Amino acid sequence: MWQTIIIQPFTNILLLINSLVHNFGLSIILFTILIRLLTHPLTVQQLKATKTMQSLQEDPRYIKMQEKYKNDKDKLAEEQMKLYKELGINPMGSCLPLLIQLPIILGLYQSVIKAMAASPLELFNLEQIVYPRWINAANLLPLNNQFLWMDLGQPERLTIFGVALPVLAILVVLTTFLQSKLVQPPATPGNDQAAMVNNSMSLYMPILMGFMAYSLASGLALYFLVSNIFTIGQYALLGRANWRNIIPFQKKEDAPKAGAAKAGAAKAVPAKNVQIVEPAKTPSSKTSGTTSSSNKKKRPPRKQHK
Amino acid sequence: MKKSHLLLITLFIGLTLLMSACMPGPRVVDAPGLSMDDTDVFVSYSSFVYSLDASKGTVNWSYPEQASTQIVFYAPPLVTDDAVFIGDLANEFHKLDKATGQELWGYPGAEGFYLGQAAILDGVVYAPNNDGTLYALDAENGSLLWTFKTGHYLWAQPQIMNDVIYLGSMDHFVYAISLDGQEIWSKELSGAVTGAPILNEDGSMLFVGSLDNEMIALDTASGEEVWTFGTSQSVWGTSILADGRLIFTDSAGTVYAVDAESGEALWQTSTSAEIVGGVSSIGDGFVVATKEGQLRAFDFDGGAKWEASLEGEIYQAPVANNDLLVTGLINGGELVYGFNLTGVQLWSTTPGK
């Protein structure tokens, strides 16, 4: 079923693109962009839901109930659900689009592997799933794996002055790092653990992806690279890229404000008067900053608020 | 250790495992490669090359001593009187001692996998590689003599006769090459060539199957097409010549016999199952192996002789000597099965299990 619904159509689309552009590297790039564009609405939906959830975590009512019911998980869950309902938030809103995207992205990855077919068995299995009305398999297969200096079926190395450099793997490491930093949300009060997870993932993911790009066929490394660049572009266009995470001086300038914002927002207004920040219109850090600057001197630290 | 650190480490390990599951392990997957002589069967599969006793299927030796995820073998071994030649997926070609399995030399200079069977003549080994290059190596010491570059993977065993090497490539070309590595002629076909071409007795005609649903006879002197026979599906695997009849299969499972001189159809029969490996000669008849694990034996007139069913998938043609037929399977029961030539199973084994 997975094969018929996802892998077969994806592979045929990839082969169809290849039959038009006659370049497998370019086909992987175009195919990745095409599939990621198709899943773009889901990404937007996911980002909106994530932002709403992040904003909620800055809500004093939310913070207060975390403190109040920290020893009663059931009651905390119950109160959280009440708050979600009151504010019209679907707690699964950010997971669902991601869950729908995951099989598509996995299918994209697997169809790239399938199309590379570097052995008789793999090519035979590829030949069996080609839609004959779309593609003349005999003329097209096997695909020409040469792209720029790469054999897309082999791990990539570019020899410069006698040194074989894994250029693609280096680019994958850089873009994965960049991507994970840019998509990392601003830290929210009481969420040190989440921040630490994010920071660690920013470190581990580039290493893992770099290792895979170094050791796997360069066709897959190319897919990783294009996918990373697309994600960065997507976040940037949606205004969700946190550039301050990678631009040091900007971070330094903004850091005190952001810190103050969190402190202020955490304890500022009585619960009833709190407005949930509209995520699509106002970046959360800025909003928090504004709140904090007006309340900073008056408000005691959050711990004293208990 | 803090809970959060534990969580992070668990998350990272889980992610690594998940991503590893997506990795193809050995970089490609293929069926076991088989060869045999009068006394031994040689099997290449996954991390090892095995020598098996042909009479019992027991392991004589395996190479290398320790399994490695990088060193993977699928190419059918080339067996001579005293050596076994085989390439791996780490782009290295090996000469092994036939009696002990000890490595005698290795040639690491290729840029692609070895999936095709090598050929040997007069102390020179001709090794086809996935980087599209045919490597001519000194069989004694493994030194590179010359290379011949084609446009795509080389999976088919080169054929050598009258000082000419005939090479089918996945770039849709057939090449005739001199023994010093110079191209004599090349002929473009409409499909890729996966199976080894075969020559007629005097070496005047070369028969090549292509993935564009055809079997083609070429004049070996000029490379010109003599005749073309259309099939219903792509032609994979090996063909045989028997009493002037060329016998071959297509992937739809049809077995064809055509007159080798004229290309006229003599008979055809359907096995109703996909055939990838092609045809193997067994004395007074031949055997085809279907992908679904059936062995079907016929006489040269297309009459059924016997059949046997195995659990698994067969992607390579069985190999046979005067007494024994051996086939390799994946995704099923055992890896290798031995039959006598009347279809009685003698042994089965999965070496290293």
Side-chain angles (χ1 to χ4, degrees):
Chain A
M1 190 173 159
W2 171 254
Q3 176 88 2
T4 312
I5 293 174
I6 301 282
I7 304 296
Q8 191 167 3
F10 275 29
T11 309
N12 276 278
I13 293 168
L14 178 57
L15 294 177
L16 186 65
I17 294 171
N18 192 78
S19 68
L20 298 174
V21 300
H22 302 289
N23 183 312
F24 190 40
L26 197 55
S27 304
I28 291 175
I29 294 170
L30 292 174
F31 179 59
T32 308
I33 293 171
L34 175 71
I35 300 295
R36 296 299 299 268
L37 279 176
L38 288 175
T39 57
H40 180 72
L42 291 169
T43 310
V44 173
Q45 202 181 330
Q46 178 203 337
L47 288 177
K48 271 187 181 172
T50 307
K51 184 147 190 175
T52 309
M53 288 301 286
Q54 281 167 8
S55 304
L56 176 69
Q57 285 171 8
E58 292 169 16
D59 186 317
R61 280 182 292 174
Y62 184 86
I63 295 164
K64 196 176 172 186
M65 73 173 63
Q66 295 281 336
E67 292 287 332
K68 191 174 176 184
Y69 301 114
K70 66 181 177 187
N71 295 322
D72 186 350
K73 299 288 178 195
D74 292 340
K75 184 68 182 169
L76 178 63
E78 191 185 314
E79 291 298 315
Q80 279 176 341
M81 285 311 292
K82 274 185 195 166
L83 187 61
Y84 290 148
K85 206 169 179 181
E86 185 187 327
L87 299 171
I89 293 173
N90 177 4
M92 297 300 290
S94 60
C95 295
L96 203 60
L98 187 67
L99 285 176
I100 298 169
Q101 282 181 80
L102 270 178
I104 296 173
I105 290 169
L106 191 62
L108 173 66
Y109 174 85
Q110 288 185 347
S111 56
V112 171
I113 292 179
K114 200 153 197 91
M116 285 196 293
S119 76
L121 186 151
E122 291 175 354
L123 187 67
F124 180 79
N125 288 333
L126 175 62
E127 191 192 43
Q128 303 309 301
I129 64 165
V130 166
Y131 299 146
R133 287 188 183 176
W134 289 18
I135 294 151
N136 182 343
N139 285 337
L140 189 66
L141 301 178
L143 301 178
N144 187 349
N145 280 348
Q146 290 300 316
F147 178 60
L148 302 176
W149 67 91
M150 297 168 248
D151 175 350
L152 296 171
Q154 290 279 326
E156 176 267 352
R157 306 286 183 270
L158 177 63
T159 305
I160 300 171
F161 302 119
V163 181
L165 293 172
V167 176
L168 217 48
I170 293 168
L171 289 174
V172 167
V173 169
L174 290 175
T175 52
T176 309
F177 179 76
L178 202 62
Q179 177 197 312
S180 56
K181 281 290 181 188
L182 289 178
V183 304
Q184 198 171 308
T188 51
N191 243 344
D192 293 347
Q193 191 163 315
M196 198 172 69
V197 170
N198 283 335
N199 283 331
S200 301
M201 291 306 283
S202 304
L203 185 68
Y204 292 140
M205 278 307 286
I207 294 170
L208 178 65
M209 297 305 289
F211 171 72
M212 290 178 71
Y214 179 83
S215 52
L216 290 177
S218 50
L220 290 173
L222 183 65
Y223 156 68
F224 294 151
L225 180 64
V226 176
S227 206
N228 284 349
I229 293 171
F230 187 93
T231 306
I232 291 168
Q234 197 175 29
Y235 271 68
L237 285 174
L238 292 170
R240 291 302 315 273
N242 283 311
W243 296 104
R244 72 187 56 190
N245 283 342
I246 55 163
I247 304 172
F249 62 87
Q250 192 177 350
K251 196 172 185 176
K252 275 175 194 168
E253 277 176 14
D254 293 353
K257 277 187 190 174
K262 288 164 206 163
K267 60 211 76 66
V269 199
K272 286 281 177 187
N273 298 335
V274 169
Q275 298 288 312
I276 295 294
V277 177
E278 174 51 55
K281 291 175 186 167
T282 320
S284 60
S285 56
K286 196 176 171 186
T287 312
S288 305
T290 312
T291 314
S292 73
S293 53
S294 58
N295 294 323
K296 200 161 61 175
K297 289 178 185 172
K298 302 176 196 169
R299 308 294 170 189
R302 199 175 87 205
K303 278 187 182 172
Q304 293 171 17
H305 194 65
K306 262 201 253 183
Chain B
M1 189 180 277
K2 275 185 179 179
K3 255 187 181 178
S4 53
H5 284 141
L6 272 175
L7 177 76
L8 269 177
I9 292 167
T10 313
L11 194 68
F12 182 65
I13 291 171
L15 201 62
T16 307
L17 288 174
L18 182 72
M19 298 303 264
S20 304
C22 300
M23 293 167 83
R27 290 173 198 153
V28 297
V29 177
D30 207 0
L34 296 172
S35 301
M36 67 188 299
D37 61 12
D38 290 342
T39 56
D40 300 305
V41 177
F42 299 88
V43 184
S44 61
Y45 187 66
S46 194
S47 300
F48 294 101
V49 181
Y50 301 96
S51 165
L52 308 180
D53 183 323
S55 62
K56 297 176 286 188
T58 52
V59 176
N60 298 321
W61 53 256
S62 62
Y63 170 86
E65 282 184 17
Q66 297 292 324
S68 159
T69 53
Q70 293 301 311
I71 304 172
V72 172
F73 301 91
Y74 291 118
L78 167 69
V79 182
T80 64
D81 288 343
D82 56 1
V84 175
F85 296 90
I86 188 163
D88 63 27
L89 297 197
N91 308 350
E92 185 162 358
F93 193 81
H94 310 264
K95 180 183 181 181
L96 310 178
D97 185 295
K98 188 174 150 186
T100 64
Q102 290 294 307
E103 177 162 0
L104 301 174
W105 53 253
Y107 170 73
E111 292 174 359
F113 312 141
Y114 289 95
L115 287 167
Q117 188 173 24
I120 188 167
L121 181 75
D122 297 336
V124 179
V125 182
Y126 302 95
N129 187 279
N130 252 25
D131 63 10
T133 304
L134 182 69
Y135 292 87
L137 305 171
D138 186 320
E140 200 53 41
N141 55 26
S143 60
L144 180 67
L145 302 174
W146 51 260
T147 59
F148 182 85
K149 184 78 179 163
T150 74
H152 218 299
Y153 304 146
L154 294 177
W155 292 345
Q157 185 186 34
Q159 301 298 302
I160 309 169
M161 191 183 266
N162 303 333
D163 293 341
V164 178
I165 303 160
Y166 299 97
L167 184 65
S169 170
M170 297 300 286
D171 67 0
H172 298 200
F173 276 86
V174 178
Y175 299 87
I177 307 159
S178 65
L179 293 182
D180 59 356
Q182 302 303 309
E183 180 178 315
I184 299 169
W185 54 255
S186 60
K187 170 73 179 174
E188 185 173 13
L189 310 181
S190 50
V193 179
T194 59
I198 60 166
L199 289 146
N200 63 358
E201 274 185 12
D202 63 3
S204 61
M205 286 173 83
L206 182 75
F207 305 98
V208 191
S210 98
L211 294 193
D212 197 21
N213 309 351
E214 58 189 10
M215 173 60 74
I216 300 154
L218 300 176
D219 178 350
T220 53
S222 62
E224 291 303 310
E225 189 176 308
V226 179
W227 53 256
T228 298
F229 183 90
T231 56
S232 65
Q233 288 292 325
S234 49
V235 179
W236 292 71
T238 53
S239 315
I240 59 166
L241 269 170
D243 302 331
R245 285 168 286 197
L246 178 71
I247 300 173
F248 58 96
T249 57
D250 68 13
S251 60
T254 308
V255 185
Y256 302 89
V258 301
D259 183 278
E261 283 292 319
S262 64
E264 283 176 22
L266 299 175
W267 55 261
Q268 70 179 59
T269 184
S270 173
T271 61
S272 306
E274 294 164 313
I275 297 179
V276 192
V279 185
S280 307
S281 188
I282 50 163
D284 60 348
F286 65 92
V287 172
V288 296
T290 69
K291 185 193 153 196
E292 285 75 17
Q294 269 206 329
L295 293 174
R296 305 275 296 268
F298 298 90
D299 62 33
F300 291 130
D301 294 319
K305 292 180 71 172
W306 54 262
E307 61 181 76
S309 290
L310 297 168
E311 185 192 336
E313 295 174 354
I314 306 177
Y315 288 92
Q316 300 276 9
V319 292
N321 62 18
N322 291 332
D323 307 307
L324 188 72
L325 176 81
V326 176
T327 190
L329 284 89
I330 56 170
N331 303 331
E334 304 285 4
L335 187 69
V336 190
Y337 290 78
F339 288 83
N340 70 14
L341 299 189
T342 59
V344 177
Q345 186 181 320
L346 302 176
W347 51 261
S348 64
T349 182
T350 302
K353 191 175 170 184

